Amino acid sequence: MTDHGPGMTWLAEHAGTTPENLLRDRGALVRALTEAGRDAAGLAAALGSGDAHERARAEVRARAVRARLADDGGFTPGQRFASRVAAALRQEAQRQREAQDPGAQRER
């Protein structure tokens, strides 16, 4: 198993699959990212709620997500996650090009 970092690992767990499966299935990756985006928007809304109890519950959830995505590699969790997703999308684009042109050489 490759080390996918905390962001990809979290996204896969959130989607109920493995990072490898998400990276192989572009549709599943897009669905997982869409759902994570919805969840993040909901959390942001809850953090700005006028209800103090809702804000407190949201802050507990936000702290848990921050801790889960904590990374000591010098990049923010968002930067590392974005880098991994971009790499996966580049790989998929290359596979698509190769499928259309079997003579295309792989980029390294």
Side-chain angles (χ1 to χ4, degrees), residues 40-88:
L43 181 57
L47 286 167
S49 171
D51 181 317
H53 293 291
E54 184 175 355
R55 279 194 318 273
R57 286 189 302 270
E59 185 55 44
V60 168
R61 286 177 36 219
R63 276 194 299 265
V65 171
R66 283 186 212 109
R68 181 70 165 80
L69 297 178
D71 177 43
D72 62 1
F75 296 101
T76 67
Q79 289 169 322
R80 186 169 176 178
F81 178 71
S83 173
R84 298 287 182 150
V85 170

Short mmCIF file of all heavy atoms in Angstrom, two decimals, residues 40-88:
data_model
loop_
_atom_site.label_atom_id
_atom_site.label_comp_id
_atom_site.label_asym_id
_atom_site.label_seq_id
_atom_site.Cartn_x
_atom_site.Cartn_y
_atom_site.Cartn_z
N ALA A 40 -18.11 19.95 4.11
CA ALA A 40 -17.33 21.11 4.54
C ALA A 40 -18.19 22.37 4.56
O ALA A 40 -18.10 23.18 5.49
CB ALA A 40 -16.12 21.30 3.64
N ALA A 41 -19.04 22.53 3.55
CA ALA A 41 -19.93 23.69 3.51
C ALA A 41 -20.92 23.65 4.68
O ALA A 41 -21.19 24.67 5.32
CB ALA A 41 -20.68 23.74 2.18
N GLY A 42 -21.42 22.46 4.97
CA GLY A 42 -22.33 22.32 6.11
C GLY A 42 -21.64 22.63 7.43
O GLY A 42 -22.21 23.28 8.30
N LEU A 43 -20.41 22.17 7.55
CA LEU A 43 -19.64 22.45 8.77
C LEU A 43 -19.36 23.94 8.90
O LEU A 43 -19.50 24.52 9.98
CB LEU A 43 -18.33 21.65 8.77
CG LEU A 43 -17.43 21.82 9.99
CD1 LEU A 43 -18.16 21.46 11.28
CD2 LEU A 43 -16.18 20.96 9.82
N ALA A 44 -19.00 24.57 7.79
CA ALA A 44 -18.75 26.02 7.82
C ALA A 44 -20.01 26.78 8.23
O ALA A 44 -19.94 27.73 9.02
CB ALA A 44 -18.25 26.50 6.46
N ALA A 45 -21.15 26.36 7.70
CA ALA A 45 -22.40 27.01 8.07
C ALA A 45 -22.69 26.81 9.55
O ALA A 45 -23.12 27.75 10.24
CB ALA A 45 -23.54 26.46 7.22
N ALA A 46 -22.45 25.62 10.06
CA ALA A 46 -22.71 25.34 11.47
C ALA A 46 -21.77 26.16 12.36
O ALA A 46 -22.16 26.62 13.44
CB ALA A 46 -22.55 23.85 11.75
N LEU A 47 -20.52 26.35 11.90
CA LEU A 47 -19.59 27.15 12.68
C LEU A 47 -20.03 28.61 12.78
O LEU A 47 -19.67 29.31 13.72
CB LEU A 47 -18.18 27.07 12.08
CG LEU A 47 -17.44 25.76 12.29
CD1 LEU A 47 -16.23 25.67 11.39
CD2 LEU A 47 -17.06 25.58 13.75
N GLY A 48 -20.81 29.07 11.81
CA GLY A 48 -21.29 30.44 11.81
C GLY A 48 -22.73 30.57 12.31
O GLY A 48 -23.33 31.63 12.20
N SER A 49 -23.25 29.51 12.86
CA SER A 49 -24.64 29.49 13.32
C SER A 49 -24.87 30.48 14.46
O SER A 49 -23.97 30.76 15.25
CB SER A 49 -25.01 28.08 13.80
OG SER A 49 -26.26 28.08 14.44
N GLY A 50 -26.09 30.96 14.52
CA GLY A 50 -26.49 31.81 15.64
C GLY A 50 -26.76 31.02 16.90
O GLY A 50 -26.85 31.59 18.00
N ASP A 51 -26.87 29.71 16.79
CA ASP A 51 -27.13 28.83 17.92
C ASP A 51 -25.80 28.41 18.55
O ASP A 51 -24.98 27.74 17.92
CB ASP A 51 -27.90 27.61 17.44
CG ASP A 51 -28.25 26.64 18.55
OD1 ASP A 51 -27.38 26.36 19.41
OD2 ASP A 51 -29.39 26.12 18.54
N ALA A 52 -25.58 28.81 19.78
CA ALA A 52 -24.32 28.54 20.46
C ALA A 52 -24.05 27.04 20.59
O ALA A 52 -22.89 26.60 20.47
CB ALA A 52 -24.30 29.18 21.85
N HIS A 53 -25.08 26.25 20.81
CA HIS A 53 -24.89 24.80 20.94
C HIS A 53 -24.48 24.18 19.60
O HIS A 53 -23.60 23.31 19.56
CB HIS A 53 -26.17 24.13 21.47
CG HIS A 53 -26.49 24.51 22.88
ND1 HIS A 53 -25.72 24.10 23.95
CD2 HIS A 53 -27.48 25.27 23.39
CE1 HIS A 53 -26.22 24.59 25.06
NE2 HIS A 53 -27.30 25.32 24.75
N GLU A 54 -25.09 24.65 18.52
CA GLU A 54 -24.72 24.15 17.20
C GLU A 54 -23.27 24.54 16.87
O GLU A 54 -22.51 23.73 16.34
CB GLU A 54 -25.66 24.69 16.13
CG GLU A 54 -25.36 24.12 14.76
CD GLU A 54 -26.35 24.54 13.69
OE1 GLU A 54 -27.35 25.22 14.00
OE2 GLU A 54 -26.11 24.19 12.52
N ARG A 55 -22.89 25.77 17.19
CA ARG A 55 -21.51 26.20 16.96
C ARG A 55 -20.52 25.35 17.75
O ARG A 55 -19.48 24.95 17.24
CB ARG A 55 -21.32 27.68 17.34
CG ARG A 55 -21.79 28.65 16.30
CD ARG A 55 -21.28 30.06 16.55
NE ARG A 55 -21.33 30.49 17.94
CZ ARG A 55 -22.38 31.06 18.53
NH1 ARG A 55 -23.47 31.29 17.83
NH2 ARG A 55 -22.33 31.42 19.79
N ALA A 56 -20.86 25.05 19.01
CA ALA A 56 -19.97 24.25 19.85
C ALA A 56 -19.82 22.84 19.28
O ALA A 56 -18.70 22.30 19.22
CB ALA A 56 -20.50 24.19 21.28
N ARG A 57 -20.93 22.23 18.84
CA ARG A 57 -20.85 20.89 18.23
C ARG A 57 -20.03 20.94 16.95
O ARG A 57 -19.22 20.05 16.68
CB ARG A 57 -22.25 20.35 17.94
CG ARG A 57 -23.01 19.91 19.18
CD ARG A 57 -24.29 19.18 18.83
NE ARG A 57 -25.19 19.99 18.01
CZ ARG A 57 -26.13 20.80 18.49
NH1 ARG A 57 -26.30 20.91 19.80
NH2 ARG A 57 -26.91 21.48 17.68
N ALA A 58 -20.20 22.00 16.16
CA ALA A 58 -19.45 22.14 14.91
C ALA A 58 -17.96 22.32 15.19
O ALA A 58 -17.12 21.78 14.47
CB ALA A 58 -19.99 23.32 14.10
N GLU A 59 -17.63 23.05 16.24
CA GLU A 59 -16.21 23.25 16.57
C GLU A 59 -15.56 21.94 16.98
O GLU A 59 -14.42 21.67 16.62
CB GLU A 59 -16.05 24.31 17.67
CG GLU A 59 -14.60 24.64 17.96
CD GLU A 59 -13.79 25.08 16.74
OE1 GLU A 59 -14.28 25.88 15.93
OE2 GLU A 59 -12.64 24.61 16.60
N VAL A 60 -16.29 21.10 17.69
CA VAL A 60 -15.76 19.77 18.05
C VAL A 60 -15.48 18.97 16.78
O VAL A 60 -14.42 18.36 16.64
CB VAL A 60 -16.74 19.03 18.99
CG1 VAL A 60 -16.36 17.57 19.15
CG2 VAL A 60 -16.81 19.72 20.35
N ARG A 61 -16.43 18.99 15.85
CA ARG A 61 -16.24 18.27 14.56
C ARG A 61 -15.06 18.86 13.79
O ARG A 61 -14.25 18.13 13.24
CB ARG A 61 -17.51 18.36 13.71
CG ARG A 61 -18.63 17.47 14.22
CD ARG A 61 -19.92 17.59 13.41
NE ARG A 61 -19.76 17.78 12.00
CZ ARG A 61 -20.53 18.58 11.25
NH1 ARG A 61 -21.51 19.27 11.80
NH2 ARG A 61 -20.32 18.68 9.96
N ALA A 62 -14.97 20.19 13.75
CA ALA A 62 -13.88 20.85 13.02
C ALA A 62 -12.53 20.50 13.62
O ALA A 62 -11.57 20.23 12.89
CB ALA A 62 -14.09 22.37 13.00
N ARG A 63 -12.44 20.49 14.94
CA ARG A 63 -11.17 20.11 15.59
C ARG A 63 -10.79 18.67 15.26
O ARG A 63 -9.62 18.37 15.01
CB ARG A 63 -11.27 20.29 17.11
CG ARG A 63 -10.98 21.71 17.56
CD ARG A 63 -10.76 21.77 19.07
NE ARG A 63 -11.92 21.31 19.83
CZ ARG A 63 -12.86 22.12 20.32
NH1 ARG A 63 -12.77 23.42 20.16
NH2 ARG A 63 -13.87 21.63 20.99
N ALA A 64 -11.79 17.79 15.22
CA ALA A 64 -11.52 16.38 14.89
C ALA A 64 -11.00 16.25 13.46
O ALA A 64 -10.04 15.51 13.20
CB ALA A 64 -12.78 15.54 15.08
N VAL A 65 -11.59 16.99 12.54
CA VAL A 65 -11.14 16.94 11.13
C VAL A 65 -9.73 17.52 11.03
O VAL A 65 -8.86 16.94 10.37
CB VAL A 65 -12.12 17.67 10.20
CG1 VAL A 65 -11.53 17.81 8.81
CG2 VAL A 65 -13.45 16.93 10.14
N ARG A 66 -9.49 18.66 11.68
CA ARG A 66 -8.15 19.26 11.65
C ARG A 66 -7.10 18.30 12.18
O ARG A 66 -6.02 18.13 11.59
CB ARG A 66 -8.11 20.55 12.47
CG ARG A 66 -8.73 21.73 11.79
CD ARG A 66 -8.52 22.99 12.64
NE ARG A 66 -9.64 23.86 12.46
CZ ARG A 66 -10.58 24.13 13.38
NH1 ARG A 66 -10.50 23.62 14.58
NH2 ARG A 66 -11.57 24.94 13.12
N ALA A 67 -7.40 17.65 13.29
CA ALA A 67 -6.45 16.71 13.89
C ALA A 67 -6.22 15.52 12.96
O ALA A 67 -5.09 15.05 12.81
CB ALA A 67 -6.96 16.22 15.24
N ARG A 68 -7.27 15.06 12.32
CA ARG A 68 -7.17 13.90 11.41
C ARG A 68 -6.30 14.24 10.20
O ARG A 68 -5.58 13.39 9.68
CB ARG A 68 -8.58 13.50 10.98
CG ARG A 68 -8.66 12.32 10.07
CD ARG A 68 -8.29 11.06 10.83
NE ARG A 68 -8.68 9.88 10.11
CZ ARG A 68 -7.99 9.34 9.11
NH1 ARG A 68 -6.90 9.91 8.71
NH2 ARG A 68 -8.40 8.26 8.53
N LEU A 69 -6.37 15.47 9.75
CA LEU A 69 -5.65 15.88 8.56
C LEU A 69 -4.30 16.52 8.87
O LEU A 69 -3.60 16.94 7.96
CB LEU A 69 -6.50 16.84 7.72
CG LEU A 69 -7.80 16.27 7.18
CD1 LEU A 69 -8.57 17.33 6.43
CD2 LEU A 69 -7.56 15.05 6.32
N ALA A 70 -3.94 16.59 10.16
CA ALA A 70 -2.67 17.22 10.55
C ALA A 70 -1.52 16.55 9.82
O ALA A 70 -1.47 15.34 9.67
CB ALA A 70 -2.47 17.13 12.05
N ASP A 71 -0.59 17.37 9.38
CA ASP A 71 0.54 16.87 8.59
C ASP A 71 1.77 17.65 8.98
O ASP A 71 1.73 18.87 9.07
CB ASP A 71 0.22 17.05 7.10
CG ASP A 71 1.37 16.63 6.22
OD1 ASP A 71 1.98 15.60 6.47
OD2 ASP A 71 1.66 17.36 5.26
N ASP A 72 2.87 16.97 9.19
CA ASP A 72 4.09 17.68 9.56
C ASP A 72 5.07 17.79 8.40
O ASP A 72 6.24 18.07 8.59
CB ASP A 72 4.76 17.02 10.77
CG ASP A 72 5.17 15.59 10.48
OD1 ASP A 72 4.98 15.11 9.35
OD2 ASP A 72 5.70 14.94 11.40
N GLY A 73 4.62 17.62 7.18
CA GLY A 73 5.49 17.66 6.01
C GLY A 73 5.78 19.05 5.49
O GLY A 73 6.36 19.19 4.41
N GLY A 74 5.38 20.08 6.18
CA GLY A 74 5.65 21.43 5.72
C GLY A 74 4.55 22.01 4.86
O GLY A 74 4.57 23.20 4.55
N PHE A 75 3.60 21.20 4.46
CA PHE A 75 2.47 21.68 3.66
C PHE A 75 1.22 21.60 4.51
O PHE A 75 1.12 20.78 5.42
CB PHE A 75 2.27 20.79 2.42
CG PHE A 75 3.42 20.85 1.46
CD1 PHE A 75 4.36 19.84 1.44
CD2 PHE A 75 3.56 21.92 0.59
CE1 PHE A 75 5.43 19.88 0.56
CE2 PHE A 75 4.63 21.97 -0.28
CZ PHE A 75 5.57 20.95 -0.30
N THR A 76 0.26 22.44 4.18
CA THR A 76 -1.02 22.33 4.88
C THR A 76 -1.71 21.06 4.39
O THR A 76 -1.40 20.55 3.29
CB THR A 76 -1.93 23.54 4.58
OG1 THR A 76 -2.31 23.49 3.20
CG2 THR A 76 -1.26 24.85 4.93
N PRO A 77 -2.64 20.53 5.16
CA PRO A 77 -3.38 19.36 4.70
C PRO A 77 -4.05 19.61 3.34
O PRO A 77 -4.06 18.74 2.48
CB PRO A 77 -4.40 19.12 5.80
CG PRO A 77 -3.77 19.67 7.02
CD PRO A 77 -3.00 20.88 6.53
N GLY A 78 -4.58 20.80 3.17
CA GLY A 78 -5.23 21.12 1.90
C GLY A 78 -4.27 21.10 0.72
O GLY A 78 -4.60 20.61 -0.36
N GLN A 79 -3.06 21.62 0.93
CA GLN A 79 -2.06 21.61 -0.14
C GLN A 79 -1.64 20.19 -0.50
O GLN A 79 -1.52 19.85 -1.67
CB GLN A 79 -0.83 22.43 0.27
CG GLN A 79 -1.08 23.91 0.33
CD GLN A 79 0.08 24.64 1.00
OE1 GLN A 79 0.67 24.14 1.96
NE2 GLN A 79 0.38 25.82 0.49
N ARG A 80 -1.41 19.38 0.51
CA ARG A 80 -1.00 18.00 0.25
C ARG A 80 -2.12 17.24 -0.44
O ARG A 80 -1.89 16.51 -1.40
CB ARG A 80 -0.61 17.33 1.56
CG ARG A 80 -0.05 15.95 1.34
CD ARG A 80 0.59 15.41 2.58
NE ARG A 80 1.03 14.05 2.33
CZ ARG A 80 1.65 13.32 3.21
NH1 ARG A 80 1.93 13.82 4.39
NH2 ARG A 80 2.00 12.10 2.92
N PHE A 81 -3.33 17.41 0.04
CA PHE A 81 -4.49 16.74 -0.57
C PHE A 81 -4.66 17.19 -2.02
O PHE A 81 -4.82 16.36 -2.92
CB PHE A 81 -5.74 17.06 0.26
CG PHE A 81 -6.99 16.45 -0.31
CD1 PHE A 81 -7.19 15.09 -0.26
CD2 PHE A 81 -7.95 17.25 -0.88
CE1 PHE A 81 -8.35 14.53 -0.77
CE2 PHE A 81 -9.11 16.71 -1.40
CZ PHE A 81 -9.31 15.34 -1.34
N ALA A 82 -4.59 18.49 -2.25
CA ALA A 82 -4.74 19.01 -3.61
C ALA A 82 -3.65 18.46 -4.53
O ALA A 82 -3.92 18.12 -5.69
CB ALA A 82 -4.70 20.54 -3.60
N SER A 83 -2.45 18.33 -4.02
CA SER A 83 -1.36 17.78 -4.80
C SER A 83 -1.64 16.33 -5.21
O SER A 83 -1.41 15.94 -6.35
CB SER A 83 -0.06 17.86 -3.99
OG SER A 83 0.97 17.19 -4.66
N ARG A 84 -2.14 15.55 -4.27
CA ARG A 84 -2.45 14.15 -4.56
C ARG A 84 -3.59 14.03 -5.57
O ARG A 84 -3.53 13.21 -6.48
CB ARG A 84 -2.84 13.40 -3.28
CG ARG A 84 -1.76 13.35 -2.24
CD ARG A 84 -0.67 12.40 -2.64
NE ARG A 84 0.33 12.36 -1.58
CZ ARG A 84 1.07 11.33 -1.30
NH1 ARG A 84 0.97 10.24 -2.01
NH2 ARG A 84 1.95 11.40 -0.33
N VAL A 85 -4.62 14.84 -5.40
CA VAL A 85 -5.75 14.79 -6.34
C VAL A 85 -5.29 15.23 -7.73
O VAL A 85 -5.62 14.60 -8.73
CB VAL A 85 -6.92 15.67 -5.84
CG1 VAL A 85 -7.99 15.82 -6.91
CG2 VAL A 85 -7.51 15.06 -4.57
N ALA A 86 -4.48 16.28 -7.79
CA ALA A 86 -3.97 16.75 -9.09
C ALA A 86 -3.13 15.66 -9.76
O ALA A 86 -3.25 15.44 -10.97
CB ALA A 86 -3.14 18.02 -8.90
N ALA A 87 -2.32 14.96 -8.98
CA ALA A 87 -1.51 13.87 -9.54
C ALA A 87 -2.40 12.76 -10.09
O ALA A 87 -2.16 12.24 -11.18
CB ALA A 87 -0.55 13.33 -8.49
N ALA A 88 -3.44 12.43 -9.35
CA ALA A 88 -4.36 11.39 -9.82
C ALA A 88 -5.06 11.81 -11.10
O ALA A 88 -5.22 11.01 -12.03
CB ALA A 88 -5.39 11.08 -8.73
#
